[in-house]
Amino acid sequence: MCDIEEIQMRKMLMVAVASALLASGLPVVAHEFKVSALRIDHPWSRATPGGTKVGAGYVEITNTGTEPERLTGGSTAAADKFELHTSETVDGIAKMRPATEGIEIPPGSTVALAPGGTHAMLVGLKKPLKEGEKFVVTLIFEKAGKVEVQFKVEGLAYRPEPRETDHTGHGSTP
Amino acid sequence: MTLRVLRIVLWVLVAAAAVGAGLLWSEVLPGLNTRQSGQAPDIGGEFSLVGHDGKPRTWSDFRGKPAVVFFGFTNCPDICPTTLGELSVRLDELGPEGDRLNVAMISVDPERDTPDVLAAYMSSFDPRIVALTGSVEEVEQVVTSFKAYRRKVPLDGGGYTMDHGAAVYLFRPDGSFAGTLDRHDKPEDQTAKIRRLLDA
């Protein structure tokens, strides 16, 4: 269903990552699929309710390399600030804090910014985020530098699909 | 091929983390969920707040229908809109049956969440959900009687966020506590819980 879009997104990302690497003067590894040690999947945001100036950004980042990487921040024309926040519910209390050290992505790991957990907070939205819209975010990584990613705005009640099946290509949807 | 294996391993880890988070969540309000019968724990109590429509609302107004209540605030980017969005879908699925429910979000941030701010916010959700606010003292009292939690946390560079109780409470028509909705429940399980509350 969203496969084509995902492939396009990846292509776009590869180009973006390649450009970022070229621009930053970092060495570009010859193999096409290792142009970056990062894979960025499913960047999305939730539509914002009326009047609010804050939104959330979610994305899955996989470090396919052998070196630790760190997401240190980002920026977008859609909002004044793009902040990284940790969010956890401990003993039934929801707590949100700025992730001042950034978010580490150890080699061989996927870090998911997801509802109810670590997420990006869009502060000072220029206009409400509406379902179906897209906006560009420049993610900033410690090693890979700047990577442009397009975030898709999903509905207020959107839940990311369980991705076990669509990633492995095995099995069938229950 | 190795990538594929890596992916599988990673998703297993993600699943394990999700299970871990679920276990943590199930410890919310420990002991209360298991008390399905007998004397209900003393959660909830009379309050006098104002709805996003500007009309006064008391806890007594909620008698006669089962109630779904949670605490949130409009400057909350993540959990609050997610919860309200999902409750809107649950109500949509219930259709006219949902009219037999009271559904309320009580603001833990009454300083910013005036009835006008809440009215704009709630226009994005099912109109059967009411948002309530009041003075800081009034809200503090409600938080205490619902055994919830609120704490103002200053942020660098000004502004603040709120720590808040994340539980979604279920109440019977007589106001007695009937359990909570689990954020990690499948949507259909949440609907089933609400239906049971309606049928009880």
Side-chain angles (χ1 to χ4, degrees):
Chain A
M1 188 177 65
C2 60
D3 279 348
I4 292 169
E5 201 175 283
E6 203 166 301
I7 289 163
Q8 281 174 342
M9 181 80 75
R10 285 202 194 147
K11 275 187 187 162
M12 197 188 78
L13 276 171
M14 269 178 220
V15 172
V17 171
S19 329
L21 282 171
L22 284 169
S24 67
L26 289 171
V28 177
V29 184
H31 195 286
E32 197 185 348
F33 294 97
K34 290 184 180 168
V35 69
S36 162
L38 292 176
R39 202 185 68 231
I40 301 177
D41 280 319
H42 197 205
W44 67 282
S45 183
R46 193 179 295 290
T48 51
T52 189
K53 296 273 192 220
V54 297
Y58 307 110
V59 63
E60 291 165 19
I61 304 166
T62 304
N63 182 351
T64 58
T66 52
E67 294 287 314
E69 178 58 286
R70 188 177 291 274
L71 175 64
T72 57
S75 64
T76 175
D80 293 336
K81 282 190 274 184
F82 182 91
E83 297 178 346
L84 300 174
H85 284 181
T86 61
S87 175
E88 51 176 2
T89 303
V90 179
D91 293 335
I93 312 299
K95 297 183 178 187
M96 193 177 85
R97 297 288 181 274
T100 43
E101 306 288 304
I103 295 158
E104 190 179 351
I105 308 142
S109 298
T110 296
V111 169
L113 275 61
T118 300
H119 60 268
M121 180 167 172
L122 301 158
V123 183
L125 284 170
K126 303 286 167 62
K127 59 187 180 73
L129 299 177
K130 292 208 170 66
E131 183 173 354
E133 289 178 351
K134 290 178 178 173
F135 60 93
V136 172
V137 171
T138 304
L139 298 175
I140 303 167
F141 292 92
E142 201 171 70
K143 296 194 173 75
K146 292 180 176 178
V147 179
E148 275 199 1
V149 182
Q150 201 167 39
F151 276 63
K152 186 179 173 202
V153 182
E154 303 282 0
L156 275 162
Y158 176 78
R159 278 194 189 203
E161 282 173 37
R163 318 236 320 156
E164 284 85 344
T165 49
D166 59 2
H167 264 271
T168 60
H170 294 304
S172 57
T173 315
Chain B
M1 200 58 198
T2 48
L3 258 183
R4 176 169 289 187
V5 173
L6 179 66
R7 268 184 194 171
I8 296 169
V9 170
L10 286 172
W11 282 110
V12 167
L13 286 175
V14 168
V19 168
L23 286 174
L24 264 180
W25 183 254
S26 66
E27 285 167 18
V28 171
L29 302 173
L32 296 177
N33 281 324
T34 55
R35 294 175 63 169
Q36 297 294 340
S37 58
Q39 200 190 345
D42 191 16
I43 288 189
E46 190 56 273
F47 60 68
S48 179
L49 296 171
V50 59
H52 68 264
D53 51 7
K55 292 181 188 155
R57 298 288 160 90
T58 66
W59 187 223
S60 305
D61 294 340
F62 283 65
R63 290 302 77 74
K65 290 179 179 182
V68 178
V69 177
F70 80 102
F71 292 83
F73 65 114
T74 65
N75 275 273
C76 157
D78 181 39
I79 291 179
C80 308
T82 306
T83 304
L84 279 168
E86 295 205 339
L87 286 176
S88 295
V89 175
R90 298 290 85 74
L91 281 168
D92 193 50
E93 286 165 357
L94 289 165
E97 261 191 286
D99 297 351
R100 292 166 48 214
L101 276 176
N102 282 312
V103 185
M105 176 179 89
I106 300 174
S107 173
V108 292
D109 186 14
E111 289 167 80
R112 289 186 291 200
D113 289 343
T114 62
D116 283 350
V117 167
L118 289 172
Y121 196 76
M122 298 311 288
S123 67
S124 299
F125 300 101
D126 191 291
R128 289 169 285 189
I129 307 175
V130 64
L132 305 174
T133 188
S135 68
V136 172
E137 294 72 28
E138 283 166 338
V139 165
E140 199 62 63
Q141 197 192 325
V142 179
V143 165
T144 305
S145 71
F146 280 73
K147 298 188 171 46
Y149 182 88
R150 76 181 277 276
R151 191 167 81 90
K152 202 167 162 175
V153 182
L155 295 172
D156 289 346
Y160 63 93
T161 186
M162 301 296 302
D163 289 351
H164 62 102
V168 177
Y169 301 76
L170 304 175
F171 294 93
R172 299 184 189 90
D174 64 1
S176 62
F177 177 73
T180 59
L181 283 187
D182 189 322
R183 198 153 52 87
H184 299 280
D185 279 348
K186 287 191 204 125
E188 54 268 33
D189 293 344
Q190 289 193 352
T191 305
K193 271 191 187 176
I194 295 173
R195 273 192 206 282
R196 277 203 298 279
L197 193 65
L198 281 167
D199 295 342

